[in-house]
Structures are given as C-alpha cells and as structure tokens.
Amino acid sequence: MLVVAALGGNALLKRGEPLTAAAQRGNVQVAVRALAEIVRAGHQLVITHGNGPQVGLLALQGAAYRPDEAYPLDVLGAETEGMIGYMIEQELENALDHDRPVATLLTQVVVDPEDPAFGHPTKFVGPVYERDEAERRASAAGWHIARDGDKWRRVVPSPTPLEIPDLRVLQLLLAQGVVVVCTGGGGIPVLRREDGSMIGVEAVIDKDAASALLARQLGADALLLLTDVEAVYRDYGTDTATPVHALTVAEAREMALPAGSMGPKLVAACDFAENGGISGIGRLVDALAILEGTAGTRVSADA
C-alpha cells in the first residue's frame, strides 16, 4: 500500500515545550519509531508534517530585522520544511538502519489569490501568550491574534491548497522506493501567474488539507492523520465523551468538531475517503494499528 502519514504538531513539539532543537529532535525520535513500523510492514510511505510553532518562531527571529528586511511567510515555510525534514529524514534513516533511502523534498503548493482566507486569517502560528502580551505584540507587529484554548496566538491566512506542481518529482522518488518527507507545514504557498510562472505568498496552508490533496493526487491507498488523541470523540471534553472507531463520510461530515483541533482532520479524512481511499485518525504511536483498522477512527465512503 502507498500510505501518506501526516504528523500533527504534537509529533514535533508538545504544547508548552521550549522551541529548541533538542526538544524537537527528541519528539522526532519517538515519531519515527511508529513510522518505521509502517515501512517494515512492507508499505510505501510518504510523510507530511505541521510547522505552526516553527514558522512562528522564525517569524519572531525575523523581528530583529527592519520591517522591510524580514523574510515573508513562504520563505519561512521553506526554511521549516528543510529544518524539520532534515530531522525526520535523519532519524528515520537511523531507525531503519539505513536499509531504505529517505529524502526530503521542498514542496510548493498552489493557492488562489482570490481565496477569502486572505481576508480572514485563522491559522495559528508561533508560541502561545497571555492575552495582554499577545495584544502588545500584535499592536507592535501588525499581527492578527485569536484565542487558542486558554491562551492567545498569532493567526495568518490559510488558503485552500489547489495543486502540487512538484508531484512529478515525488512520483519519481516513489518509483525508486524512496521514503519521502514532503509538503511540510502544508507546503510552500505559491501563486501561479498569468504567464505560468510562480511566486510565493504570505500564508500558511493547513497541513491536513494539503496532505489529503497530496494523497489524492498520488493515488495513495491510505491517509493517516496522526495526533495525540486516540480517536475522534463524540461530545469531546464532556462527561459523555465516547470514541468513534468507524464513520462513513456522510456521518463524519455531520459531526461538529472544533475548527482549531480535530475539525480539519475530519474534513481532510472525508475529502480523501470519499474517493475510495482509507482514512485513519488517531495517535501517532498507533500508526500501524490505525492502518490495519485495529485502532483510531477509520473514515470510509461506505458503512
């Protein structure tokens, strides 16, 4: 099977952890143990990942420059793809005893310049703050901010991914048996101009939406959306919360889930599954079991 596994932000940096290389590497070492099981089971693997905390960190570092010298979000996204991809690539090679080639590909993703998301920023990036500090930083830097749980964070535009122009390179790598790390942080957001050339744009694409698009365009057999929650829950956060282990696309689309957490994962799972693939949502450590249908939540086109 060709499997696209999307690592949630928790796989790289847990909430409240310091944004250090050591913390991220430690989490990646845990993540690749689960991913290595998929490869050892005989499956082809493509790995995607989030980058919200990391791209926010680089943006904060960029504040040391004059406003007209700071790097834009598309360039920062490319930097995080390289940084995180390097760690995943190296640690997965180590976990597989260098038995399989692993490569990281900086991946461009085309978005629509007229996407309404550019006028309504919703994607969280960077660290969390108390409200007073978030408002001070927003005022000084011209940020948009929003509540994230009991804290506040910067939000940026998150347009819908439309096309992955680097798909041919991905297909060449997969044909040679390479485990590919790509579309990190939702990919590098770009616009296609009238003459066919491309240019970066200030945005951060949702990782789950981009992973679903990637899985569809590659013709993958399965899409795994891996996080730190064992399954999709009905009535999550209440005394009556119960895990749901199987959903049809129709049932899943009727569920009302938070936009900032499980909601985008369920939408991505539906977008992929309605075309006949297998979508699974659950804990990273259960990755192979989710693929085999013995853990997590499976979303399928039919009952």
Side-chain angles (χ1 to χ4, degrees), residues 83-241:
M83 173 178 68
I84 297 168
Y86 156 66
M87 290 187 181
I88 295 174
E89 177 181 325
Q90 187 177 75
E91 295 298 340
L92 185 56
E93 287 174 336
N94 290 339
L96 293 171
D97 296 322
H98 298 268
D99 185 52
R100 288 283 297 275
V102 183
T104 300
L105 179 68
L106 299 186
T107 316
Q108 301 172 92
V109 175
V110 176
V111 300
D112 183 349
E114 301 301 322
D115 193 304
F118 286 109
H120 183 56
T122 58
K123 179 68 174 174
F124 290 117
V125 299
V128 296
Y129 302 103
E130 297 297 335
R131 181 170 184 170
D132 288 349
E133 183 178 1
E135 289 178 342
R136 285 197 303 271
R137 289 179 178 270
S139 178
W143 291 356
H144 294 275
I145 58 172
R147 182 186 292 276
D148 182 11
D150 61 347
K151 304 292 184 180
W152 290 74
R153 292 175 74 187
R154 181 187 179 189
V155 288
V156 300
S158 183
T160 299
L162 301 177
E163 176 194 350
I164 301 173
D166 299 309
L167 195 69
R168 288 179 297 173
V169 181
L170 291 168
Q171 291 167 330
L172 287 171
L173 290 169
L174 289 172
Q176 296 301 313
V178 178
V179 177
V180 185
V181 184
C182 64
T183 324
I188 303 164
V190 298
L191 304 177
R192 191 181 293 281
R193 294 183 286 205
E194 290 185 3
D195 64 358
S197 63
M198 292 184 291
I199 185 74
V201 65
E202 281 272 287
V204 174
I205 300 169
D206 180 74
K207 172 263 304 175
D208 297 316
S211 298
L213 174 65
L214 173 70
R216 293 197 306 273
Q217 294 195 344
L218 283 177
D221 301 290
L223 170 64
L224 303 182
L225 300 160
L226 303 172
T227 180
D228 58 353
V229 179
E230 65 173 315
V232 174
Y233 276 74
R234 294 192 192 277
D235 303 322
Y236 184 74
T238 70
D239 294 338
T240 59

